[in-house]
Amino acid sequence: MHASVEQPHGEQDVQPLLVVRDLQAYYRTSHAGVRRAIRAVDGVSFAVRRGEIYGLAGESSSGKTTLIKSIAGAIKPPLEIVGGSMEFAFLPGYGGLHRAPPAQVERIRWRHLSYIMQGSMNVLNPVRRIRCSFTDFAYPHIGGSRQQFEQQVVAHLSRVRLDPSVLSAFPHELSGGMRQRAALALATICRPGFIIADEPTTALDVVVQKEVLGMIRGIQRETGSSVLFVTHDMGVHAHITDRLAIMYAGRLVEEAATAEIFRNPLHPYTQNLIASLPRIGEDAPRAGLGGAPPNLADPPSGCRFHPRCPLAREICSREVPVMREAGAGHRVACFAVNGDDGA
Amino acid sequence: MVVFLRDLLRYRAEFRIGLVLVAVVLLLSVLASFSPYPPDSVYVVPPDLPPSLTYWFGTTSRGQDVFWQLSFAIRNTLLFGGTVALVSRLVALAVGLVSGYKGGWIDRALMSVNDTFIVIPLLPVLVLFYFVMRDRISWLMLALIMACFGWAYDARLIRSVVMSLRQREFTQTSLFSGMSTRQVLTDEHLPYVVPILFSTTMNNMVWSIGLEVTLAVLGFTDINIPTIGGMIYWANQHTAMVAGIWWWIAFPTIAVIMAFIGLFLLAVSVNAHIDPRSRLWNVGEAS
Amino acid sequence: MSGYAGYVGRRLAQFLLVVFIGINIAYVITHASPIDPVEQSISAVTSFGNTAPDAIEQMRRSLRELYGLGGTPVQQYLAFWKRILSADFGPSLSAFPTPVGTLIGRALPWTAGLLTVSTLIAWVLGNLLGGLAGYYRQSRGLKLMGVIAMGLHPIPYYILAMLLLILFGFIWPVLPISGGATMNLPQTLTPEFVWSVLQHAILPALSLILIGVGSWFLGMRSLVANVLAEDYVVYAELAGVRSWRILTSYVMRNALVPQVTGLAMSLGGIFNGAVITEKVFGYPGLGSLLVDAVYAGDYGLVLGVTTISILGVSVGVLAIDLLYPLLDPRVKVS
């Protein structure tokens, strides 16, 4: 098992929990007689270590959602995995949930791999009591007597500071914050090794947001889970993630420890992203980026950022830059940073 | 609009089938203008003849040519359905738009009345109407009274479409960007309301024609004007089924079923086409 | 609990509004007629045979009273309501001197039974199959069923009933095509009588069920397609919840909620269908009673059946409305 998992680009970890290699996930449509492929994820590689919160940042339509859908095995037409692999330590040898036998995937879901969804407000079945959701989701994995199970659920609820009485409530009877915490408890009740968090705090007001982030951090520390944390909000990343990858137009452009990214961004896109964050006591106008994110059905040749890049040179429109080590644990895909031999 | 129709034709089998069925029925009704016999005269041809080359659909016991009688009947039936649909559209549109855009207590009051009209069983009411009017009942009168009852369900639909449009972001954006309310309504919202209006029109015609057939078969309409239901009424009066004059009932039945399924398929396919989710379905199934 | 009380209050108010508007429509129709309904009725009745002149005169007087044609318009209106509220529609002209109320009481159980059983069967069957068809979209059998439903749903009740009559009455005569039970059987709960009632109910029920199943099927299928995209379903799938549990407790359970409202809303239309279906199969319910009353010129009976129909359907709608919170816990707060 150890031998089968390799490190991309010299990570120090012995055995990461998830290794994604050269993943390509396209939306293939044939509406109106025209066949199109939207290359939403196009050659992405990274690894998530045990016990870390790995952040993934990028603007909307950069392919983050497609990436986590693929990792979570929620692949439905028109989405297709065209190439690459996603190897979980708890599911070795298959290269992704979508290739594993369904019975095995069913056992893994929630036990090892759980999911905190964007807009957690609507993830609870509106016509069933909260208790039923816990039973449906977690009981098949935890087992034991119903009483023991209920005790375990109540104990877990207290971690997110919820009263056992919420179990008998319907979702609409809870406040937004309570629902959010109930959803969080539901996602972590089985103490999964890997949690995918997809914009879990985006729709929340700042106070609740901070509370929820604290709870995610707390539970993660306690259970030693790894978290893949996806949001476009750089402030949230600064607050919670250990390492951070920046995605642009279906590809990773930079990856490093979160503090390193904020201190020393190398890729021009990342630099722009960091520079656009407001800082206290600064009143100079922010420089925006010219142009718009590319159309993924017909992306620019070479580096997909080159039409908007201030450092673009001739090679950028011709060849695709690869991720290169530019410092300790700091990878970046840019000809301007790595030099022309990057291709 | 042209693109919309083209896409419908190209990708919706239901729409194509519906269009063909409705076209056949319409053609039959247009032929009524070329009939060699006036619609209300009887004993113009030998009675009770089975379908033949001379009389394609046979003749009735009243000495009428079933083919030409049918073309008059389907024309009147379609005109009836069209009149009801047109008049009830005006009411449905007015109630749906006012309710949807105004909201508040106006909406609640209108919807209470609306739901009342949905609930009331119409057939007994129409029978009562016929009972007091008897021979004075006319084609137009029946169409108008049916229109008075037939708007409620569609008004609710239009209202819900309007309400969702009103809450959508582009409405706010357009208003903030300085478009007048009227511009927003005509430029931004009308394209969404028109297909709904079309599909409810088709469904409404199915509904009103069905009721008209029912009433006519019972003899509760002006039975001297040939309609599909009227033809079946006369056939029943002459016990055509027992006498073996099956063509007198079979052809009007086939024609009206074609009209029903055709209109319904048009409604369904337009509905499915404007629902983006179902569009995605098709994409998923194609790949 | 107070939320539920508020909900019940609103539904009751709606129920009263339906009855109020319905009865007013009946009043307007009977009183705005340009022809004298009394003379109309009398000529209809007397055309069947010779009636003694003083009997006609007596009939004319009782009809004038029945129609409430005496006094000012306000008095007429109040008299009309009084008659409706006391459920007193006078003696039937066509079955003189049996009161209209008795005739309706005799017919009501037949209609209520036929309507309840066939509506329930159609609703359950249509939703079950439609739910499966929406969930298992690739199944060929369910796709075919969808095509059949599309063909059946738009056909009016009369045409389908007639087709069934021709099929099972003339082409393949295996089922009784007329009446509610075999004529000479005593109407007591003997096995023969029950069996006969069931046999006679098959064809009328089948016409109602076939069309009903078609429309519930199509409605449920498209509702399921929408529910499948809801977060809670996607989430449950990601959580590896068993697919049978997702189908029943997540997808169907939520899609059923609007179908209950739909049932309440289409009750009037289903009743219309029952009226004509009863007439086609000579079923001894309200529908046959109504149509025969028109042929016989029996004003009291027509008015009685019409108002009872409005009242009956409204009660049915109210019952569904009151059961609705069992299925959708959210009404208590809204």
Side-chain angles (χ1 to χ4, degrees):
Chain A
M1 185 166 127
H2 285 240
S4 70
V5 181
E6 273 179 350
Q7 291 304 304
H9 309 292
E11 296 288 347
Q12 305 92 339
D13 250 12
V14 198
Q15 192 206 0
L17 202 59
L18 167 68
V19 179
V20 175
R21 250 191 230 98
D22 198 27
L23 182 69
Q24 290 167 295
Y26 296 173
Y27 292 92
R28 292 210 166 146
T29 64
S30 64
H31 185 59
V34 186
R35 292 202 150 264
R36 298 207 305 173
I38 295 170
R39 288 141 75 176
V41 173
D42 207 3
V44 167
S45 302
F46 64 95
V48 178
R49 299 170 190 161
R50 285 177 189 274
E52 76 168 343
I53 300 188
Y54 185 89
L56 190 62
E59 54 202 329
S60 45
S61 79
S62 62
K64 340 185 268 289
T65 306
T66 310
L67 178 57
I68 52 183
K69 267 189 193 163
S70 307
I71 293 172
I75 300 152
K76 282 185 191 168
L79 178 59
E80 256 181 81
I81 304 297
V82 178
S85 69
M86 300 156 279
E87 188 89 357
F88 284 105
F90 48 75
L91 184 71
Y94 289 108
L97 291 182
H98 63 292
R99 295 211 196 106
Q104 203 164 341
V105 173
E106 199 170 287
R107 276 200 300 280
I108 278 166
R109 288 199 184 285
W110 237 243
R111 183 72 199 84
H112 294 289
L113 168 71
S114 90
Y115 201 91
I116 305 171
M117 216 171 162
Q118 180 167 13
S120 287
M121 310 293 270
N122 303 321
V123 302
L124 299 166
N125 189 340
V127 296
R128 276 166 88 73
R129 296 179 195 278
I130 306 288
R131 174 178 290 110
C132 299
S133 292
F134 274 95
T135 313
D136 292 347
F137 280 51
Y139 187 68
H141 299 296
I142 291 175
S145 74
R146 291 270 164 173
Q147 228 173 347
Q148 275 176 317
F149 177 70
E150 173 117 359
Q151 277 168 6
Q152 199 173 335
V153 171
V154 168
H156 191 63
L157 281 177
S158 68
R159 288 201 182 95
V160 292
R161 277 179 273 126
L162 278 177
D163 192 80
S165 66
V166 298
L167 285 176
S168 313
F170 286 103
H172 71 267
E173 292 168 337
L174 305 179
S175 71
M178 286 167 88
R179 241 182 293 175
Q180 190 74 32
R181 281 181 276 156
L184 187 59
L186 184 61
T188 51
I189 174 78
C190 293
R191 299 171 154 263
F194 195 85
I195 301 170
I196 297 171
D198 179 8
E199 306 263 8
T201 58
T202 301
L204 302 176
D205 68 69
V206 192
V207 179
V208 183
Q209 188 172 354
K210 210 173 159 217
E211 185 188 54
V212 169
L213 287 178
M215 281 173 182
I216 293 178
R217 188 42 128 177
I219 291 173
Q220 182 264 338
R221 283 217 178 104
E222 204 183 313
T223 59
S225 317
S226 306
V227 179
L228 176 62
F229 199 106
V230 180
T231 177
H232 67 277
D233 188 334
M234 292 301 280
V236 171
H237 278 300
H239 192 84
I240 193 167
T241 59
D242 299 314
R243 289 195 301 146
L244 180 57
I246 312 290
M247 199 163 175
Y248 181 81
R251 293 195 183 130
L252 291 194
V253 294
E254 188 163 4
E255 179 202 59
T258 306
E260 165 77 5
I261 291 250
F262 280 91
R263 206 178 321 119
N264 180 26
L266 294 177
H267 195 281
Y269 176 67
T270 316
Q271 284 169 353
N272 198 281
L273 214 56
I274 307 286
S276 66
L277 290 173
R279 281 189 191 81
I280 292 170
E282 197 186 71
D283 49 2
R286 313 247 84 84
L289 204 54
N295 173 9
L296 290 176
D298 182 22
S301 60
C303 174
R304 289 183 175 176
F305 188 58
H306 84 262
R308 301 168 79 186
C309 184
L311 307 177
R313 21 171 137 176
E314 190 265 331
I315 188 172
C316 298
S317 60
R318 228 171 353 100
E319 289 181 52
V320 180
V322 296
M323 290 282 262
R324 279 284 167 101
E325 194 98 3
H330 196 153
R331 297 192 298 144
V332 63
C334 179
F335 290 115
V337 179
N338 294 342
D340 288 358
D341 60 326
Chain B
M1 204 64 209
V2 177
V3 176
F4 185 75
L5 284 177
R6 195 202 61 200
D7 279 4
L8 265 171
L9 265 177
R10 210 182 276 174
Y11 306 112
R12 296 267 163 198
E14 301 104 312
F15 188 79
R16 286 196 296 269
I17 299 171
L19 207 61
V20 168
L21 288 175
V22 171
V24 169
V25 171
L26 273 178
L27 185 72
L28 190 61
S29 71
V30 170
L31 283 180
S33 319
F34 305 102
S35 169
Y37 320 105
D40 44 359
S41 38
V42 289
Y43 301 109
V44 288
V45 290
D48 294 345
L49 291 178
S52 64
L53 282 178
T54 337
Y55 307 110
W56 292 358
F57 291 179
T59 63
T60 72
S61 304
R62 306 175 77 215
Q64 294 159 318
D65 187 321
V66 172
F67 180 83
W68 295 112
Q69 197 66 20
L70 182 61
S71 74
F72 280 114
I74 200 83
R75 187 188 69 180
N76 289 338
T77 295
L78 287 178
L79 273 176
F80 181 85
T83 310
V84 176
L86 191 74
V87 178
S88 66
R89 253 15 36 198
L90 297 177
V91 186
L93 205 54
V95 172
L97 290 179
V98 169
S99 215
Y101 281 113
K102 292 281 177 198
W105 69 267
I106 296 180
D107 175 43
R108 281 199 293 280
L110 278 176
M111 282 305 111
S112 282
V113 176
N114 187 81
D115 290 354
T116 303
F117 276 81
I118 290 177
V119 165
I120 290 177
L122 187 49
L123 192 57
V125 172
L126 288 175
V127 169
L128 183 67
F129 182 69
Y130 166 76
F131 185 84
V132 297
M133 299 305 284
R134 291 276 167 178
D135 300 340
R136 304 244 189 139
I137 201 160
S138 76
W139 184 94
L140 189 64
M141 199 188 285
L142 195 64
L144 288 179
I145 192 154
M146 266 168 64
C148 288
F149 283 91
W151 53 270
Y153 201 84
D154 301 335
R156 212 170 226 300
L157 260 178
I158 292 168
R159 165 184 173 268
S160 67
V161 169
V162 166
M163 286 191 128
S164 78
L165 285 174
R166 208 171 57 142
Q167 279 160 3
R168 292 232 205 128
E169 219 161 297
F170 68 82
T171 305
Q172 298 304 324
T173 319
S174 322
L175 284 173
F176 285 136
S177 67
M179 276 172 98
S180 71
T181 311
R182 178 196 279 198
Q183 265 179 315
V184 172
L185 293 189
T186 53
D187 296 356
E188 306 284 333
H189 290 181
L190 211 58
Y192 288 87
V193 177
V194 166
I196 295 285
L197 212 53
F198 173 81
S199 72
T200 62
T201 307
M202 299 296 118
N203 277 330
N204 188 267
M205 282 179 75
V206 169
W207 170 83
S208 64
I209 292 176
L211 261 181
E212 199 275 340
V213 168
T214 303
L215 285 171
V217 160
L218 295 172
F220 294 171
T221 55
D222 182 356
I223 45 176
N224 293 317
I225 292 185
T227 62
I228 295 291
M231 274 186 90
I232 300 173
Y233 169 81
W234 284 113
N236 284 343
Q237 289 295 305
H238 289 259
T239 56
M241 240 13 251
V242 183
I245 322 281
W246 55 267
W247 51 89
W248 196 354
I249 288 189
F251 289 112
T253 308
I254 292 170
V256 81
I257 288 181
M258 280 171 70
F260 282 126
I261 296 181
L263 291 169
F264 178 66
L265 286 180
L266 290 186
V268 176
S269 55
V270 170
N271 260 346
H273 200 68
I274 51 180
D275 180 2
R277 217 170 264 157
S278 78
R279 243 187 250 198
L280 208 64
W281 267 34
N282 279 19
V283 169
E285 274 158 19
S287 60
Chain C
M1 208 54 215
S2 67
Y4 184 65
Y7 171 79
V8 170
R10 283 196 301 279
R11 297 331 297 171
L12 271 174
Q14 180 67 38
F15 165 75
L16 292 175
L17 184 72
V18 173
V19 173
F20 180 76
I21 293 186
I23 302 298
N24 274 301
I25 288 171
Y27 177 82
V28 170
I29 288 177
T30 48
H31 286 71
S33 159
I35 41 182
D36 186 345
V38 174
E39 296 308 319
Q40 184 78 20
S41 296
I42 285 171
S43 69
V45 174
T46 51
S47 65
F48 288 110
N50 290 325
T51 318
D54 51 333
I56 291 178
E57 194 44 49
Q58 192 193 346
M59 197 183 279
R60 182 172 284 133
R61 247 183 289 119
S62 74
L63 271 179
R64 290 224 163 270
E65 190 210 340
L66 179 64
Y67 272 90
L69 290 181
T72 64
V74 175
Q75 279 171 327
Q76 286 186 24
Y77 183 73
L78 291 177
F80 187 83
W81 268 104
K82 199 179 145 209
R83 193 160 282 285
I84 301 274
L85 290 177
S86 56
D88 171 20
F89 301 100
S92 157
L93 290 181
S94 52
F96 198 81
T98 318
V100 164
T102 312
L103 290 176
I104 290 178
R106 237 180 257 159
L108 198 57
W110 292 99
T111 299
L114 176 69
L115 210 56
T116 314
V117 172
S118 55
T119 305
L120 278 181
I121 291 178
W123 193 79
V124 170
L125 210 59
N127 283 323
L128 202 64
L129 294 173
L132 290 172
Y135 196 67
Y136 301 107
R137 283 203 299 264
Q138 305 300 333
S139 155
R140 275 169 195 277
L142 291 165
K143 270 187 183 170
L144 178 70
M145 216 173 277
V147 173
I148 296 173
M150 282 221 188
L152 274 179
H153 166 62
I155 295 178
Y157 290 98
Y158 174 77
I159 300 280
L160 188 70
M162 192 180 69
L163 290 177
L164 288 177
L165 183 79
I166 291 170
L167 191 60
F168 293 102
F170 294 92
I171 297 174
W172 189 41
V174 286
L175 286 169
I177 52 164
S178 182
T182 310
M183 282 295 235
N184 45 19
L185 278 179
Q187 300 208 349
T188 48
L189 274 178
T190 57
E192 290 109 308
F193 178 68
V194 172
W195 177 237
S196 169
V197 167
L198 287 178
Q199 261 190 321
H200 280 78
I202 291 179
L203 281 182
L206 196 61
S207 340
L208 293 172
I209 290 171
L210 280 178
I211 290 175
V213 166
S215 81
W216 298 123
F217 180 96
L218 296 175
M220 189 65 175
R221 196 177 60 174
S222 69
L223 282 169
V224 162
N226 288 342
V227 171
L228 278 177
E230 294 284 346
D231 281 351
Y232 50 83
V233 175
V234 176
Y235 199 57
E237 280 172 350
L238 281 173
V241 175
R242 301 269 148 79
S243 79
W244 182 251
R245 163 80 356 142
I246 293 182
L247 173 63
T248 52
S249 306
Y250 288 72
V251 178
M252 296 256 243
R253 183 67 180 64
N254 277 286
L256 266 185
V257 171
Q259 287 293 75
V260 174
T261 319
L263 181 62
M265 284 195 163
S266 52
L267 221 50
I270 299 173
F271 184 85
N272 290 346
V275 169
I276 187 67
T277 306
E278 282 182 5
K279 184 58 199 163
V280 171
F281 293 106
Y283 202 74
L286 286 178
S288 296
L289 195 64
L290 176 72
V291 174
D292 293 338
V294 175
Y295 291 148
D298 191 339
Y299 169 75
L301 196 49
V302 173
L303 185 63
V305 174
T306 305
T307 45
I308 284 295
S309 306
I310 293 171
L311 206 66
V313 171
S314 318
V315 168
V317 172
L318 181 67
I320 295 171
D321 279 344
L322 294 185
L323 289 175
Y324 180 82
L326 289 181
L327 206 64
D328 188 358
R330 283 163 293 189
V331 296
K332 288 175 197 168
V333 282
S334 64

